[in-house]
Amino acid sequence: MAAKDRGRGPLVADRRYPSLRAGAPAGGPRKPAPPKEPRAPRRRTRAAKPRRQHGLVVGLIVAIWRVVWGIAWRGAAIGALVLAGVIWYFYAQLPEVTDLIDGRARGSVTMLDRNGEVFAWRGETFGGMVTADSVSPYLHDAVVATEDKRFYWHFGISPRGIASAIRINLSEGRGAFEGNGGSTITQQTAKLLCLGVEWDPKVWKSEADYEKDCRQGGMWRKIKEVPFAMAMEAKYSKEEILTIYFNRAYLGAGARGFEAAAQRYFGKSAKDVTLPEAAMLAGLLKAPSTYAPTASMERARNRAAVVIGLMLEQGYITKAEAEDALANPAVLSKAAKQKSGGYFADWVMETTPDYLARDTTEDVIIETTLDQDIQKKAEEALAWIFENKVKAGSKSQAAIVVMSADGAVRAMVGGRDVPNAGDFNRATQALRQTGSTFKPFIYAAAMDLGMSPMDLVEDTPLCIYTAGSGDWCPQNYDKQFKGQITLTQALAESRNIPAVRVSEAVGRDLVKQVATDFGLAQNFADGPALALGVSESTLIDMTGAFAGILNGGSSVTPYGLNALKLKGMDEPLFGAGGGIGERVISEKAAHALTYMMTEVLNSGTGGRARLDDREAAGKTGTTTSARDAWFVGFTADYVVGVWMGYDDNRPLTGVTGGGLPAEIWHEVMVRINEGLPAKPLVKEIPDSTYAPVGTGTGEGAIAAEDVPYFDDPNAPTYDDVYIDPETGESIPVYDGPPPPGAVPEGRVTDAPGKGDLVDQLLDGMLGGNN
């Protein structure tokens, strides 16, 4: 017992024997302990087991937490090291700020009018470097207020901004990362830099594919942006990041950077833009194509109003400044209103070598012949006619070309609608039948052979045999015949049969040669219908050909480019792309033809084009079924060509060249000659130097082979003359085999007593001696 008690220790003894507790007197007799009552058996409660289970769960959670925490902080540490390594990698790769300013893969083309003012751009324009410190303070603050109001308080990314963007996207039914991205300005700049990946033609098929890849969104893209943006924040100051952003952002209409955009839309530097202009420019960042003022001024101004509201809310401007900006919104410059130079700019690009235009890697300056005042007046004249003279809803089209006598194009309207770059240009691209506007070149050949405007021609029924088609019998427009009339009357009244007679007399090949040398180098018809304008031409070529008549008979190559320079260079790479060329007809012939063409307006089909204050000359033209209607003519200062028709080539209703085209021409001429002194046209009526060659003398008319430009390969050739077996009449066959049963008479030049080839044909076709 004692051993057991000793083994229990003092605590046991103390519990069992209260007298032995600390403080009890030592020694003395021990009293026996009172008898202990039997204990009732302890009943186990229901809460005991859950308490043990709870302890187990807590222990398990703690254990799991310790494992997770251990993994998490180690993973976070590794992730932080990886992130730091990626940031350091990007940091080491980032170049100096100045190397990131101009990121274009291609250059730009800037066009200047004849007075040196910018009127059009092509390609991606970079206006020059600006910095965050040099731009207008309004522009600086507008961009920060609109794109990243916490720009100066974050280190490249804004978790709060991203969370807000996700909430907005989800509330609007989009994916979390579709639509608003919550990107900071630094992240946007990283995207503009394509996260450091440069354009490589071996990787991407086109720059468009490269741009698309750089601008893609989504979660993975955001993840990749983070280290690059943070590297930028470590490498550059906030103002340097803004500088890169200001210079690389795309702002619509081909403008890269705010300097280019300010120049393109407002004609001024980004350093000088006002508050409403700055707000409009900053508003473009959201959607450049949508909010560009050249696309929709209303949308641009509404967006600018939002930007002004943000600037006011964030304390960048006062309430008075905001109210003034809203009351006086930004307006486009004159050049911007031209819609990128329209059809004229497109034509200049087409006529400039690709390596200096579409595919240029340099910034190119093109000095052009365009007169913006004349361009505006031509557009207004066309709009006025269609508003006041044409049935509402008409789908008919029209085109206008205005040029000087040397071929310098001063204005070009390629259609009724305001064009987008690259639209179909009816002034330069539409090949249309010329109708009677071709006739002056028939008479040009005749005048150069020595005929006079007062010479006579037969306006009587005529049939000409053509191989494969039989007899071809042209008709006049009025279905009437006037007998013998002068060449002047024949042209003024646009009579078909006299034109055919003259064409056949001088020779179709000569007519073709004269027309070709004047610039109408298209596929000419081979038969006698050549004289009626069944061949095709463009309006600009036809107008250039008439300019050759105005300048005294020399060829003209229409041109719009005066000089081309690389930006920053004084000397042009090359000069004018056209101008006056070689002589086609003599001055005397050109002046005689000019006189004949003045009568078209004075007494003929062009009466509606007549000008009250100055002389003018021209020619109407209407093709078969009125599918094309023309009027081309000139004063002493300008040549104007007008074409009207439908793009699908269906006939016009009630329209001839002497109608609406003549009225359009009149409106254009009245407007562009306003304020110019009236100058007379140079014209004359020379005596005819043509006379049949006298028998035995060899003297008389100039033979075709004696005309300098009329070499043998181009000389008219005729097949034999045949005798009709029934009537005994001579039938000259121009092309192909003779009529069945006809008997050859021999070469025309071999007929006795008739003189040479030109003598015989003029004598027969013009109806007697001249």
Side-chain angles (χ1 to χ4, degrees), residues 9 28 60 100 115 141 153 169 223 239 268 285 329 423 440 463 471 575 580 605 627 659 727 753-754 770:
L60 181 61
L100 298 175
N115 298 315
D141 296 342
W153 286 273
N169 291 335
I223 291 173
E239 299 307 301
K268 60 176 67 173
L285 292 165
D423 280 0
C463 289
D471 285 343
I580 296 178
T605 58
R627 288 183 170 86
T727 65
K754 289 290 185 178
N770 294 269

Side-chain angles (χ1 to χ4, degrees), residues 314-489:
Q314 296 173 42
Y316 287 107
I317 57 175
T318 65
K319 185 177 180 180
E321 288 177 311
E323 291 175 349
D324 182 68
L326 293 173
N328 300 283
V331 295
L332 287 173
S333 68
K334 181 180 178 181
K337 290 178 182 178
Q338 289 289 330
K339 300 289 185 180
S340 297
Y343 295 106
F344 180 88
D346 288 344
W347 173 64
V348 170
M349 290 292 287
E350 290 169 6
T351 55
T352 302
D354 282 348
Y355 70 93
L356 290 171
R358 296 177 184 84
D359 303 327
T360 179
T361 57
E362 303 284 346
D363 288 325
V364 174
I365 307 295
I366 297 180
E367 298 173 1
T368 75
T369 61
L370 181 73
D371 187 310
Q372 293 196 66
D373 183 56
I374 293 178
Q375 177 71 32
K376 180 181 179 182
K377 289 176 177 177
E379 292 172 355
E380 290 174 346
L382 181 64
W384 188 90
I385 290 293
F386 270 86
E387 182 179 346
N388 294 278
K389 302 280 187 174
V390 179
K391 184 179 179 181
S394 172
K395 300 297 183 182
S396 60
Q397 276 291 349
I400 301 170
V401 171
V402 182
M403 69 173 62
S404 300
D406 64 348
V409 176
R410 302 305 182 189
M412 179 180 291
V413 182
R416 290 172 55 191
D417 302 322
V418 175
N420 295 310
D423 280 0
F424 182 68
N425 188 340
R426 296 162 190 85
T428 62
Q429 295 174 307
L431 274 172
R432 310 293 294 222
Q433 287 191 351
T434 59
S436 294
T437 49
F438 183 79
K439 290 176 181 175
F441 306 104
I442 299 169
Y443 293 101
M447 294 299 105
D448 207 43
L449 285 175
M451 297 180 67
S452 166
M454 294 296 107
D455 281 342
L456 299 176
V457 61
E458 290 282 354
D459 183 17
T460 55
L462 172 68
C463 289
I464 299 176
Y465 176 80
T466 58
S469 300
D471 285 343
W472 177 73
C473 304
Q475 296 291 322
N476 290 318
Y477 181 77
D478 60 5
K479 308 295 183 184
Q480 297 178 7
F481 307 99
K482 294 196 172 183
Q484 275 198 346
I485 58 175
T486 64
L487 299 184
T488 300
Q489 182 180 354

Side-chain angles (χ1 to χ4, degrees), residues 40 131 165 269 308 342 383 537 551 558 628 769:
T131 67
S269 171
I308 291 169
S537 180
N551 70 33
D628 303 277
N769 295 336

